[in-house]
Amino acid sequence: MITLKKNADRRLRRGHLWIFSNEIADPKVSELEPGSVHEIRDSGGEFLGMAYANPASLIAARILSRKREPIDQAFIRARIAAAYERRKRLFPERNAYRIVFGESDLLPGLVVDRYANYLAVQVLSAGMENLLTEVLESLIEMIAPEGICLRNDSPVRLLEGLEEEKRTAYGSIPDMVEIQSGPLKIQVDISNGQKTGYFLDQECNRSVMHRYVHPGAAVLDLYCYSGAWGLHAAYAGASEVVGVDSSRGALNLAAENARINGLEDRFEGVRDSAVDFLKKNARTWDAIVLDPPAFIKSRNRIKEGQKGYIDVNRRALTRLNRDGILVTCSCSHHLDLVSFEEIVSSASRQAGKELRILDIRGQGPDHPVLWAMPETRYLKVIVAQVI
């Protein structure tokens, strides 16, 4: 049993799932086995839920259930089944989506992504690490994948006292898996690609290229990775797409994706950093996509990250033609939408460009936001036009 300090239960009663180490009254919590499951009670002894604990982490416990019940194979299977059924209803036409999104699916510390007949699994908490066998057995029974890859190479695991690793946990994983991205075919490197192989959280947003990119447009795709944004623009009629990325492997993947979609004559990959490319190239574009990695990794780097976002957006805006489209994104969960809008506004003033906002988006519904946990809302996408 874990007992909370007085008033430390308020956030949990509103639906939050995390308990921080400074909210726990019992000093012996430091002696608990990482990942062990316990009842959570408020300072008056009232039951609040079942949680797994990790005294080695700042997040000392994570709520799994609001009821007294065993956290076993049947529990894990039911939770995964519910998440999977929601995705199948949402995406009957897609063969790639996130099946489980951690806390938002009431499975803290678990990520499961589907790529055609293969799964990528990430375990990000000690409690879920202890339940990995139950997770894998449930996925195999329900989905019958040809292979499951454990992508436990996230540095988040280090905060939980867990080692980083990558391995095939079931079946076999090919070098590349082909998925559908709207009208496009995309090759995904599940074992070694970024994140779990592909940025599924943007999949519902790439359709904006078909709405806002006009035939014959010249498009710049910065931080292009596997080329998905730019290739959607090419499919929409763009006559030229330049994808910029600092990774040679990413550019090779983008080139292959262009080839298999018959778009290789309109796609060019350039190995460079986004900022350096914008510094060195004075040409202008009809549309620019900015989908960088998170510039803000922690709260103590917010100001530094904000400056980075302002700089790259300012430079991009100076390279946009009149009526040009900017698709700019942030996946930093420490940066909320209002702050990101202020960043884009500041960048536009510094660039001497006036903007109209055409669209504001976030992560797709396979990455749902748990209402009581703002930490689960992280992706911001703004589509703006130069006036």
Side-chain angles (χ1 to χ4, degrees), residues 17 48 59 81 108 138 147 167 176 194 196 210 218 256 264 288 306-307 327:
L17 302 181
L48 296 174
I59 305 171
S138 297
R167 63 182 174 90
M176 292 290 167
Q194 296 178 26
T196 63
H210 301 263
E256 176 61 13
E264 64 269 35
I288 296 178
Q306 288 176 328
K307 289 179 182 178
V327 180

Side-chain angles (χ1 to χ4, degrees), residues 122-134:
Q122 277 190 329
V123 174
L124 303 172
S125 66
M128 197 55 73
E129 182 87 354
N130 285 355
L131 294 165
L132 179 58
T133 298
E134 288 82 353

Side-chain angles (χ1 to χ4, degrees), residues 248-280:
R248 186 181 303 279
L251 293 173
N252 290 340
L253 185 56
E256 176 61 13
N257 284 329
R259 187 193 67 78
I260 64 175
N261 287 284
L263 299 170
E264 64 269 35
D265 59 330
R266 283 184 273 162
F267 180 86
E268 177 189 0
V270 176
R271 189 181 184 190
D272 207 346
S273 76
V275 170
D276 286 346
F277 181 89
L278 292 169
K279 284 180 179 178
K280 293 183 293 190

Side-chain angles (χ1 to χ4, degrees), residues 219-224 240-246 251 268-285 287-290 311-312 315-316 318-319:
V219 177
L220 177 62
D221 183 3
L222 297 170
Y223 310 96
C224 73
E240 178 187 6
V241 175
V242 173
V244 178
D245 202 283
S246 60
L251 293 173
E268 177 189 0
V270 176
R271 189 181 184 190
D272 207 346
S273 76
V275 170
D276 286 346
F277 181 89
L278 292 169
K279 284 180 179 178
K280 293 183 293 190
N281 293 271
R283 71 163 293 184
T284 57
W285 307 85
I288 296 178
V289 178
L290 275 174
D311 182 52
V312 73
R315 294 179 186 278
T318 63
R319 299 290 182 261

Side-chain angles (χ1 to χ4, degrees), residues 115 174-181 184-190 193 197-198 225-227 231 250 252-261:
Y115 296 110
D175 291 339
M176 292 290 167
V177 174
E178 186 173 290
I179 65 168
Q180 284 296 129
S181 176
L184 299 176
K185 295 179 287 187
I186 297 289
Q187 295 286 311
V188 176
D189 182 355
I190 297 177
Y198 187 66
Y225 184 43
S226 59
L231 293 176
N252 290 340
L253 185 56
E256 176 61 13
N257 284 329
R259 187 193 67 78
I260 64 175
N261 287 284

Side-chain angles (χ1 to χ4, degrees), residues 301-315:
R301 300 190 66 179
I302 288 177
K303 288 187 178 180
E304 177 187 347
Q306 288 176 328
K307 289 179 182 178
Y309 281 119
I310 291 173
D311 182 52
V312 73
N313 277 276
R314 173 184 63 81
R315 294 179 186 278

